Amino acid sequence: MRIVGIVQARMGSTRLPGKVLRELGGRSVLGWVVRAVREAGALDDLVVATTTEEADDAVVAECRRLGVAWHRGPVDDVLTRFMEALAGRRGDAVMRFTADCPLLDPAVIREAALVFRAVRGLGYLSTSLARTLPRGLDVEIVSRAALERADAEAAGFHRTHVTSYVYSHPGEARLLGLAYQPVADDLRITLDTEDDWRLISRVVDALGDRCLPFGTVVGWLRERPEVCGLNAHVRQKALQDA
């Protein structure tokens, strides 16, 4: 069972342009994501899926600096971008990452891969089917067969979100959710707004430039409600709007 990691990254965020290359604790936000994946030591391949937009030349330059492969594809049809990035790569499944989640826990990445490999016949595994982790720390894996079916059938916003068609139209695919303690689904540790940036920067300023267990981050935030409040008002976009 070979799992390919694909990180979607582009400069053209509507809410916070350029967020994936912001400097956080001495490295780019994208660099944090790549480091977490590498520290997990659970994947067989890794590629950054960016776009053909001129602005994303900067993403390619950062990929070169990080020593990670990249592919350039459509801006909004991210599912096609993933399928193109996967083409020619040996892989039975894809672990999908977004480049705006710098505080990913390598242990969660590793456990998700371990479970996916252990449970035969899975089409999709995620920590967000029944969310217990903070938003921004979730991990998901989709089988190549399920992704190919989505590519053949999905339209509209499902093509932007890559995996949403699989878990909303599972067909014969088997789905599995992972849950974690302590439950912290009320927290937001993803980077989509300036207020998200303020919270994540506070975490990194206090805890340093290192991959952290999610429990450490959650515990630190629980002791500091004033930090949690920095982005508590931010609402995630609906699938149809993102």
Side-chain angles (χ1 to χ4, degrees):
M1 169 65 71
R2 289 180 57 86
I3 301 177
V4 177
I6 300 182
V7 184
Q8 62 188 74
R10 69 185 185 99
M11 295 293 282
S13 165
T14 54
R15 279 175 152 181
L16 196 62
K19 62 183 178 180
V20 302
L21 294 188
R22 281 198 176 195
E23 184 178 321
L24 178 65
R27 70 183 67 235
S28 68
V29 171
L30 175 59
W32 279 76
V33 175
V34 170
R35 178 177 62 176
V37 176
R38 286 172 167 166
E39 284 198 12
L43 304 187
D44 300 286
D45 199 356
L46 179 63
V47 57
V48 173
T50 190
T51 85
T52 54
E53 296 279 286
E54 184 178 351
D56 289 323
D57 291 350
V59 174
V60 171
E62 178 66 354
C63 289
R64 287 195 179 100
R65 195 187 69 79
L66 294 170
V68 65
W70 72 88
H71 171 78
R72 306 187 77 161
V75 175
D76 296 318
D77 188 347
V78 190
L79 180 51
T80 291
R81 201 193 313 166
F82 266 59
M83 297 308 298
E84 290 176 353
L86 187 58
R89 285 186 159 80
R90 290 177 53 229
D92 306 294
V94 169
M95 187 178 287
R96 172 180 174 250
F97 302 96
T98 57
D100 53 5
C101 297
L103 298 186
L104 288 167
D105 181 348
V108 175
I109 296 171
R110 187 162 51 249
E111 288 163 1
L114 182 67
V115 172
F116 195 89
R117 289 185 171 111
V119 180
R120 294 176 62 88
L122 280 182
Y124 180 79
L125 176 148
S126 176
T127 58
S128 61
L129 287 174
R131 184 185 301 280
T132 55
L133 290 173
R135 187 175 293 279
L137 301 189
D138 286 305
V139 170
E140 60 177 350
I141 308 176
V142 59
S143 72
R144 189 171 194 144
L147 201 62
E148 287 171 346
R149 182 176 69 87
D151 184 44
E153 300 176 4
F157 65 86
H158 288 304
R159 302 203 67 85
T160 301
H161 292 282
V162 183
T163 58
S164 59
Y165 187 85
V166 175
Y167 59 75
S168 59
H169 301 77
E172 299 298 318
R174 296 173 62 199
L175 312 184
L176 181 65
L178 297 182
Y180 285 86
Q181 294 285 350
V183 175
D185 59 313
D186 58 306
L187 298 178
R188 179 181 173 86
I189 316 179
T190 188
L191 179 57
D192 203 29
T193 70
E194 286 290 351
D195 289 331
D196 294 330
W197 177 252
R198 293 185 183 97
L199 181 144
I200 290 171
S201 296
R202 289 283 295 273
V203 173
V204 171
D205 287 346
L207 300 180
D209 172 26
R210 58 194 177 100
C211 293
L212 296 161
F214 78 89
T216 299
V217 178
V218 169
W220 189 88
L221 287 170
R222 291 297 190 210
E223 293 174 356
R224 294 163 179 81
E226 74 282 2
V227 179
C228 297
L230 290 173
N231 68 350
H233 62 284
V234 178
R235 294 293 171 260
Q236 192 73 10
K237 289 181 180 180
L239 284 176
Q240 295 87 339
D241 299 330

